C-alpha cells in the first residue's frame, strides 16, 4: 500500500511515460464514451477470476468462514455422537443392573428352567425401557433369554470374565442397525456366587440427537459472517482503486515487471533498454561482465565500446536465446526479450564458463544425493545378511562403480559377535557391469596381507582410495597373478571401506572402476555413506540371525525329539515356526500307567526367547502333573494356578512379559476301553476323523485361557473312539490367518482331512500343512495327529476280588494260568509276588469293591488292583524287628515302576514289569537285602 500510494503518473512528473508500465498518453482507459461498459465487464471478470487484492481477501475470508462452519459442525456431530454413545451405555448399564438386581432374578437363574422364569420378564423390560435386547446368560455363556427364541440355548463366545469378577463389562460395536453399546453384569446369589449374567444392548441411534436444533443457528451465523466479509471486501476494493488512480491488477503487474526482473537476477547481468536502444537500468553483475563505466544510464548501447555484434543485438531489440559473444576474456550467453508495443527490451548476461562448472558440480552432487536416497530405500529390506550385501552391490553398480564386492568375517556370518581373533573373511556378494571380471567369486575365503590397502583400511577404520591399481604394490602382492588379470581386464581404481557398526568390524566392501573415470577423493564420502548404511543393516541382520538361531535351538531342544512308540496310538507331528520368529507353540505325547497315553498341545503368547523358555516351563509342569496321573480338568486347573504365580513373580521383579493368555488342550486316551477324556483352556478344539473318513469337530467345553480362569472350574468331555480313528490336535496358527476368519480355516481343515482317508498320521500332517499353509505362516503352527488302537481283549484279564484273605491264593492261581496262556511263564513267580502283595493290601486296608486287572502291553506286563478307598499307600523301610511294612518295598524292587492313581470310586495301585530279556533278573539277593 505504501508504494502504491506514492505512485504518480509520468505525465504529472514531466517525464516519459514508461512503455506498457504506466498510463497511455491519451489518459486512462476508462476515459471515453465506453468507460462504463468496460468497467462493468472488468468487474464481471474480476468476480470470475479474483486477481485484485480485495477479491483475494474476500476469497480467503470465505474459505475461513466455511472452514469454521465445517469445523463447528464436525465438532458438534462428534460431541453429539459421543454423548449419544455415553447415554446409550448408561441406559444399557442401568437396565442390566436393574434386571440383575431385581428380586427373584438370582432365584430364577438357579431354578430348573431359567428360560421359562426369565424370558417374559426380559421381554417386558426390553419393551418398556426401549433397549434392543435383554439377554440372560449362564456363567458359561449359554443364553437363557433372547428376543429371538431360536437363539436361546446357544453359546456366546464373547469374553465375560470381567463381569464374573463383579465389574460391569461394556463394549461398543457396529451392528446391522448401526453402532450399539452392550453392557454385561453378573448376578450373584446371597453367598456371593455368580449364578448368571445379564447383557443389555442399545443402539446409539435411539438416543435423541441435539445437533439438528443447533445447525440452523450455526448456518445463520455463518451467513451473517459471509455478508460482513463481502461488505468489507467491497470497501477495501474501492479504497485500493482510488489510491491507484484507477489502475487494475494487470496494469500494476506490468508496471512492476522491470523491477521484479532486476530483483530476481541475482547471478546474471540484467540490462533494460528503451525502444531507441538507450540504457534504462544496468545491474552490478552486468557492469562487471561488460566492464561498463559508471553513469551509463541514458546512453545508447552502441556507444559503450562493446563488440559490434553484441551492441547490434542489444540495440535492435530482437529476441535472442543463449547467443554467445566474446566480451574481453569472458564468453557471455546473451538472452534478449522485447517488452511492450512501444519498443524496449530486457537482456540477461551469463558467464558460460562459470555456469558450466557450477552445473557440473551440481549434477555430481545431485547424483550422489540420489544414490544415497536410493540406498536408504533399497538396502536393508530384509533381515538376511547375504541379501543385504547383495542390495549394497546392486545400488552401487553401475551408478557409483563398475564392480562391487562385499566380504564379512566368518563369526558374523554365523550370527556371532566379531571378536577380532580371526580376520578371515568370506566374500558373500559381488556385482558388476559384466560377468567375466577376474575378481574372486562369491564364497571365496580371504585373509588380507598387512600391506594390502584393504588391510590398512581395516586396521585404521577409514576408507582407502587406490587411484591406480597398477601402481599399488601392496595390493598386487596379495595375489600377483590374479592382480595382473584384474588390471588387464581394465579395472584401474578401487575404494575399500570397512563395514563397522557399534564400533565393531563386520567386514569390508570394495568398489572398482573400469569404464568410468578413476575414483577421486570426493568419492570417499559417498562410499563411506553407502558402507555405513549397509553396516547398520548387516549388524541388525546378524543380531536377528543370532537371536533367531538361539530361539530355534532352544525351541527344538524343548520340543520332544522322537516320540515314544506306543501300542495305544500311532502319532505324527509337525512344528512350523512363524515368519516373524520362533514362538511358544508346543505339543507332547506322554505315556501313562495302564497303557494309557496323554496328548497335549499348547500355545504361549508372543515370540522369541521368552516365549520359547516359557513353553519349556509349561511342558515340564505338564510332565510333572501327568506323573501324578491327574485327570485333564485337575491338570489344567493346577496349570492355571502355576501361570498365575509365574506372572505374579515376574511382576514383582519388574518383568512385563506375562504368560497370561497361554492356551492348552489335554487329552487322555485309554486303549482298553477306547475312552478319551479331553479338557481345554482357551485352545481350539480337536478334529476327529472316523474310520469311515468322515470329519467332525467334537464339542469340548472351553475354559478361559491359562492365567485368567479366576478359579472357574474346568469341564471335561468324554469321547468313545473306535480303532483307526484319527484325533487331530493343533494350534490356532493352523486355522487362523490375517484376513481369514477362523470358520473359513476350520472349513479348509475339514476339507483337507476329508481327503486323507486311509493315510498314516505322518502323511495326514503333510497333507494338512500343504493344504492350509500355501505361504509362510504368520504364526506358529503345531500339529499332532494320533491314530487310535484298541488292545485285543485277549491281552486283558480282569477279576473281581472278594474282601476275604482266603481268596488271595485262588486269584494268584488264576493270574498264573493267564500268564502261562500268554507264554509268560518265566515272569509268573515275580508277578505272583506283586499280585499277592497288592491284593492283600487292598483286602486289609482298602474297601469294596476290589478288582484285579492284568494288561499285556507289547514289552510290559501291568498289574492293577482297584479298591473303593482313596487312602494312598506309602513306601517305607521296615526295621529288623517289624513283622510287616515290606510289601510295597518288594513291589518296587520287582517292578520297573509302580504308583497310584485315583478314580471317581476310589484308587488303583499299579505295578509295571518289563518283559524284555533280563528284566526279571535274579531275586536271590533281594532276600538278603537289609529290610
Amino acid at each position: 500500500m505504501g508504494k502504491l500510494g506514492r505512485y504518480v503518473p509520468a505525465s504529472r512528473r514531466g517525464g516519459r511515460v514508461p512503455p506498457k508500465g504506466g498510463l497511455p498518453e491519451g489518459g486512462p482507459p476508462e476515459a471515453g464514451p465506453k468507460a462504463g461498459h468496460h468497467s462493468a465487464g472488468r468487474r464481471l471478470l474480476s468476480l470470475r477470476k479474483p486477481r485484485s487484492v480485495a477479491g483475494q481477501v474476500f476469497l480467503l475470508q470465505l474459505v475461513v468462514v466455511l472452514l469454521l462452519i465445517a469445523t463447528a459442525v464436525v465438532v458438534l456431530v462428534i460431541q453429539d455422537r459421543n454423548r449419544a454413545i455415553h447415554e446409550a451405555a448408561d441406559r444399557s448399564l442401568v437396565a442390566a443392573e436393574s434386571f440383575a438386581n431385581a428380586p427373584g432374578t438370582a432365584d430364577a437363574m438357579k431354578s430348573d428352567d431359567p428360560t421359562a422364569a426369565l424370558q417374559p420378564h426380559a421381554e417386558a423390560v426390553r419393551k418398556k425401557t426401549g433397549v434392543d435386547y435383554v439377554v440372560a446368560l449362564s456363567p458359561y455363556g449359554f443364553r437363557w433369554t433372547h428376543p429371538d427364541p431360536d437363539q436361546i440355548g446357544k453359546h456366546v463366545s464373547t469374553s465375560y470374565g470381567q463381569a464374573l469378577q463383579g465389574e460391569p463389562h461394556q463394549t461398543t460395536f457396529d451392528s446391522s442397525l448401526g453402532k450399539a453399546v452392550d453392557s454385561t453384569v453378573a448376578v450373584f446369589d446371597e453367598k456371593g456366587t455368580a449364578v448368571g449374567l445379564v447383557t443389555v444392548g442399545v443402539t446409539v441411534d435411539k438416543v435423541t440427537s441435539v445437533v439438528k436444533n443447533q445447525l440452523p443457528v450455526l448456518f445463520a451465523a455463518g451467513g451473517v459472517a459471509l455478508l460482513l466479509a463481502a461488505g468489507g471486501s467491497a470497501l477495501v476494493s474501492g479504497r485500493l482503486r482510488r489510491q491507484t488512480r484507477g489502475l487494475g491488477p494487470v496494469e500494476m503487474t506490468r508496471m512492476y515487471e522491470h523491477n521484479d526482473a532486476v530483483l530476481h537476477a541475482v547471478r546474471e547481468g540484467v540490462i533494460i533498454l528503451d525502444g531507441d536502444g538507450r540504457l534504462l537500468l544496468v545491474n552490478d553483475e552486468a557492469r562487471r561482465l561488460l566492464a561498463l563505466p559508471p553513469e551509463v544510464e541514458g546512453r545508447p548501447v552502441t556507444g559503450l565500446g562493446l563488440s559490434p555484434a553484441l551492441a547490434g543485438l542489444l540495440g535492435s531489440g530482437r529476441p535472442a536465446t543463449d547467443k554467445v559473444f566474446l566480451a574481453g576474456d569472458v564468453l557471455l550467453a546473451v538472452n534478449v526479450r522485447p517488452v511492450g508495443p512501444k519498443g524496449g527490451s530486457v537482456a540477461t548476461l551469463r558467464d558460460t564458463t562459470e555456469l558450466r562448472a557450477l552445473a557440473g558440480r551440481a549434477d555430481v552432487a545431485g547424483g550422489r544425493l540420489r544414490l544415497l536416497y536410493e540406498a536408504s530405500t533399497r538396502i536393508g529390506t530384509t533381515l538376511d545378511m547375504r541379501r543385504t550385501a547383495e542390495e549394497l552391490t546392486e545400488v552401487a553398480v553401475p551408478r557409483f562403480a563398475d564392480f562391487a564386492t562385499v566380504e564379512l568375517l566368518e563369526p558374523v556370518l554365523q550370527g556371532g559377535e566379531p571378536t577380532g581373533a580371526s580376520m578371515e573373511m568370506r566374500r558373500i556378494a559381488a556385482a558388476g557391469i559384466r560377468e567375466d571380471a577376474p575378481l574372486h567369486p562369491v564364497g571365496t575365503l580371504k585373509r588380507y596381507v598387512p600391506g594390502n590397502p584393504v588391510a590398512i583400511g581395516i586396521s585404521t577404520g577409514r576408507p582407502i582410495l587406490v587411484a591406480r591399481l597398477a601402481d599399488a604394490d601392496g595390493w598386487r602382492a596379495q595375489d600377483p597373478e590374479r592382480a595382473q588379470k584384474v588390471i588387464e581386464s581394465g579395472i584401474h581404481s578401487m575404494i575399500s571401506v570397512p563395514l563397522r557398526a557399534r564400533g565393531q568390524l563386520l567386514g569390508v566392501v570394495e568398489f572398482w572402476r573400469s569404464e568410468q573415470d578413476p575414483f577421486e577423493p570426493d568419492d570417499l564420502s559417498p562410499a563411506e555413506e553407502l558402507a555405513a548404511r549397509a553396516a547398520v543393516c548387516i549388524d541388525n541382520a546378524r543380531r536377528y540371525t543370532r537371536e533367531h538361531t538361539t530361539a530355534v535351538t532352544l525351541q527344538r531342544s524343548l520340543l520332544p525329539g522322537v516320540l515314544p512308540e506306543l501300542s495305544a496310538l500311532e502319532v505324527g507331528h509337525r512344528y512350523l515356526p512363524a515368519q516373524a520368529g520362533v514362538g511358544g507353540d508346543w505339543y507332547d505325547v506322554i505315556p501313562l500307567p495302564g497303557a494309557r497315553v496323554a496328548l497335549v498341545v499348547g500355545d504361549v503368547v508372543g515370540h522369541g526367547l521368552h516365549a520359547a523358555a516359557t513353553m519349556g516351563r509349561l511342558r515340564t509342569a505338564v510332565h510333572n502333573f501327568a506323573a501324578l496321573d491327574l485327570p485333564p480338568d485337575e491338570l489344567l486347573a493346577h496349570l492355571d494356578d502355576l501361570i498365575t504365580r509365574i506372572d505374579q513373580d515376574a511382576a514383582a521383579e519388574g518383568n512385563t512379559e506375562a504368560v497370561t493368555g497361554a492356551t492348552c488342550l489335554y487329552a487322555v486316551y485309554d486303549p482298553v476301553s477306547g475312552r478319551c477324556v479331553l479338557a481345554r483352556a482357551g485352545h481350539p478344539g480337536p478334529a476327529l476323523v472316523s474310520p469311515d473318513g468322515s470329519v467332525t469337530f467334537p464339542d469340548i467345553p472351553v475354559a478361559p485361557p491359562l492365567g485368567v480362569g479366576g478359579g472357574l472350574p474346568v469341564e471335561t468331555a468324554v469321547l468313545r473312539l473306535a480303532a483307526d480313528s484319527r484325533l487331530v490336535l493343533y494350534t490356532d496358527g493352523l486355522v487362523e490367518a490375517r484376513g481369514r476368519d477362523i470358520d473359513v480355516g476350520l472349513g479348509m481343515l475339514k476339507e483337507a482331512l476329508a481327503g486323507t482317508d486311509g493315510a498314516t498320521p505322518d502323511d495326514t500332517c503333510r497333507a494338512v500343512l500343504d493344504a492350509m499353509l500355501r505361504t509362510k505362516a504368520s504364526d506358529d503352527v503345531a500339529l499332532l495327529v494320533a491314530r487310535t488302537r484298541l488292545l485285543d481283549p485277549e491281552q486283558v484279564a480282569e477279576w473281581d476280588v472278594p474282601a476275604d484273605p482266603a481268596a488271595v491264593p485262588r486269584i494268584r492261581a488264576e493270574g498264573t494260568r493267564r500268564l502261562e496262556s500268554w507264554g509268560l511263564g518265566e515272569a509268573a513267580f515275580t508277578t505272583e509276588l506283586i499280585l499277592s502283595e497288592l491284593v492283600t493290601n487292598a483286602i486289609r486296608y482298602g474297601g469294596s469293591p476290589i478288582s484285579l486287572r492284568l494288561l499285556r502291553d507289547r514289552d510290559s506286563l501291568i498289574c492293577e488292583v482297584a479298591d473303593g478307598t482313596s487312602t494312598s499307600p506309602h513306601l517305607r523301610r521296615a526295621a529288623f524287628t517289624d513283622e510287616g511294612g515290606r510289601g510295597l518295598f518288594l513291589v518296587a524292587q520287582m517292578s520297573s515302576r509302580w504308583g497310584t492313581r485315583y478314580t471317581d470310586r476310589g484308587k488303583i495301585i499299579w505295578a509295571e514289569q518289563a518283559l524284555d530279556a533280563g528284566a526279571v533278573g535274579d531275586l536271590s539277593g533281594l532276600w538278603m537285602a537289609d529290610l
Side-chain angles (χ1 to χ4, degrees), residues 172-198:
T172 303
F173 62 96
D174 293 323
S175 67
S176 60
L177 299 177
K179 186 172 292 294
V181 180
D182 179 276
S183 298
T184 302
V185 298
V187 179
F188 298 90
D189 59 10
E190 61 275 12
K191 298 180 180 180
T193 302
V195 297
L197 298 161
V198 175

Side-chain angles (χ1 to χ4, degrees), residues 580-810:
V582 175
D585 289 14
W586 59 285
Y587 60 89
D588 212 338
V589 178
I590 306 172
L592 298 177
R596 297 171 303 129
V597 181
L599 302 174
V600 56
V601 173
D603 186 1
V604 176
V605 178
H607 294 85
L609 290 175
H610 180 266
T614 303
M615 179 274 292
R617 298 173 70 179
L618 292 185
R619 181 169 177 254
T620 302
V622 170
H623 267 272
N624 293 335
F625 292 144
L628 300 176
D629 214 342
L630 298 176
D633 52 344
E634 293 185 20
L635 185 143
L636 291 183
H638 284 293
L639 205 60
D640 182 77
D641 294 338
L642 174 64
I643 289 182
T644 301
R645 290 196 299 271
I646 291 176
D647 284 343
Q648 290 174 352
D649 294 342
E653 295 175 0
N655 188 357
T656 59
E657 295 188 83
V659 189
T660 297
T663 64
C664 185
L665 171 62
Y666 188 82
V668 175
Y669 174 69
D670 187 352
V672 177
S673 61
R675 184 172 180 265
C676 184
V677 183
L678 304 96
R680 60 184 178 130
H683 200 84
L688 178 61
V689 185
S690 301
D692 60 0
S694 61
V695 181
T696 58
F697 294 94
D699 187 12
I700 310 299
V702 59
L706 300 175
V708 297
L712 292 176
V714 180
E715 298 184 34
T716 61
V718 179
L719 304 177
R720 294 287 180 177
L721 304 182
D724 290 330
S725 298
R726 280 173 289 167
L727 191 64
V728 181
L729 282 66
Y730 52 88
T731 56
D732 58 358
L734 181 68
V735 295
E736 291 185 1
R738 183 175 302 173
R740 185 180 72 191
D741 189 73
I742 186 172
D743 293 334
V744 177
L746 292 175
M748 294 173 59
L749 176 61
K750 185 174 182 178
E751 293 179 3
L753 291 173
T756 60
D757 188 20
T760 64
D762 196 67
D763 292 339
T764 302
C765 290
R766 185 180 304 107
V768 168
L769 293 182
D770 290 343
M772 300 291 293
L773 304 177
R774 302 184 185 276
T775 59
K776 186 68 175 178
S778 59
D779 194 7
D780 295 12
V781 175
L783 178 62
L784 190 64
V785 179
R787 182 195 294 273
T788 60
R789 298 169 180 163
L790 292 177
L791 291 184
D792 191 335
E794 293 298 325
Q795 296 179 259
V796 183
E798 296 185 85
W799 297 273
D800 292 330
V801 180
D804 183 3
V808 175
R810 178 179 62 82

Side-chain angles (χ1 to χ4, degrees), residues 305-319:
L306 303 178
S307 65
L310 176 57
L313 175 64
L314 296 176
S316 66
R318 298 190 307 271

Side-chain angles (χ1 to χ4, degrees), residues 889-890 893-894 922-931:
F889 179 79
L890 292 173
Q893 292 295 318
M894 290 183 290
D922 184 10
L923 301 178
S924 60
L926 181 62
W927 310 120
M928 302 303 295
D930 182 10
L931 301 179

Side-chain angles (χ1 to χ4, degrees), residues 244-267:
T244 58
R245 302 294 192 274
L247 293 177
V250 176
E251 291 79 11
M252 294 294 295
T253 302
R254 290 175 179 174
M255 185 180 67
Y256 285 101
E257 279 180 350
H258 301 312
N259 295 335
D260 291 337
V262 174
L263 293 176
H264 291 87
V266 179
R267 295 298 306 274

